[in-house]
Amino acid sequence: MQAVEQPKKSKLWALLSGILGIVWGGLIFVAPSYILPNIFSIVIFSIVFPFTAPSEETLQILHQTQMMFIYLVVFIWVMFIVARISHRYYKKTGEIPYWITKIFLLAASLGVIATLPVLVSYIPGLTGINDVTLQIGGMGSVLIITGGVSGLLGLISGAGYLISLNRFDS
């Protein structure tokens, strides 16, 4: 009985997965340095907002932070889709070790889980979900930790994908 050789896989998904993982890890560790200085302003804004007219600067900071969060959410969902495709595409091949695809999928899944409570709060009728979720036993810190672990795993798996690129026949 002759073994059937699988066709060689393209390295496009590996390159894309590696770049996304590295960028996601970088964003998770760089974004807080941008967000944290603005958090104090946003907290003050949310406390003072009912009593005074907000300043243009405060509204601008709030808008920038919300836009950055939306970009991060879109990025993590794109990364999740790429991770699913990459995990299936490189299954049982020798080009990319299977554990790298699993770690990348886990990183993307954890990132998606960390964004779900806030995304659900944008659905009309469920706007109070975010407040309840963030108050339940430190759930906000759990979501932040989940996002941090996601970034770290994304960085590791992204590096794994990029290192594995030399296994491909060009």
Side-chain angles (χ1 to χ4, degrees):
M1 182 169 183
Q2 188 175 0
V4 177
E5 187 175 320
Q6 290 186 359
K8 290 291 183 180
K9 300 286 185 170
S10 168
K11 65 179 173 180
L12 176 66
W13 284 109
L15 180 62
L16 182 61
S17 299
I19 291 171
L20 286 176
I22 296 287
V23 169
W24 176 244
L27 283 175
I28 288 298
F29 294 110
V30 171
S33 66
Y34 171 77
I35 293 173
L36 289 178
N38 296 330
I39 286 178
F40 181 72
S41 301
I42 292 168
V43 168
I44 296 299
F45 168 73
S46 63
I47 292 171
V48 175
F49 180 73
F51 305 109
T52 62
S55 70
E56 185 65 33
E57 180 183 340
T58 308
L59 287 174
Q60 184 179 7
I61 290 171
L62 180 65
H63 179 69
Q64 288 174 345
T65 306
Q66 286 176 337
M67 289 306 295
M68 191 169 103
F69 177 74
I70 289 170
Y71 293 145
L72 285 175
V73 169
V74 168
F75 186 89
I76 190 59
W77 280 88
V78 167
M79 188 174 106
F80 178 72
I81 292 167
V82 169
R84 291 282 302 166
I85 292 169
S86 182
H87 179 70
R88 188 167 292 141
Y89 186 71
Y90 292 117
K91 192 174 192 174
K92 297 180 182 175
T93 65
E95 288 92 358
I96 303 292
Y98 196 56
W99 65 269
I100 292 175
T101 64
K102 283 185 175 184
I103 289 177
F104 188 54
L105 185 59
L106 178 64
S109 299
L110 288 174
V112 165
I113 289 169
T115 64
L116 284 179
V118 178
L119 289 178
V120 168
S121 72
Y122 285 109
I123 298 173
L126 298 176
T127 55
I129 280 278
N130 194 24
D131 297 333
V132 172
T133 303
L134 294 178
Q135 292 173 1
I136 297 174
M139 186 62 119
S141 60
V142 170
L143 294 176
I144 290 171
I145 291 170
T146 303
V149 170
S150 169
L152 182 62
L153 292 175
L155 200 60
I156 292 168
S157 61
Y161 271 109
L162 293 179
I163 291 170
S164 297
L165 286 177
N166 64 1
R167 293 179 169 201
F168 289 87
D169 295 333
S170 296

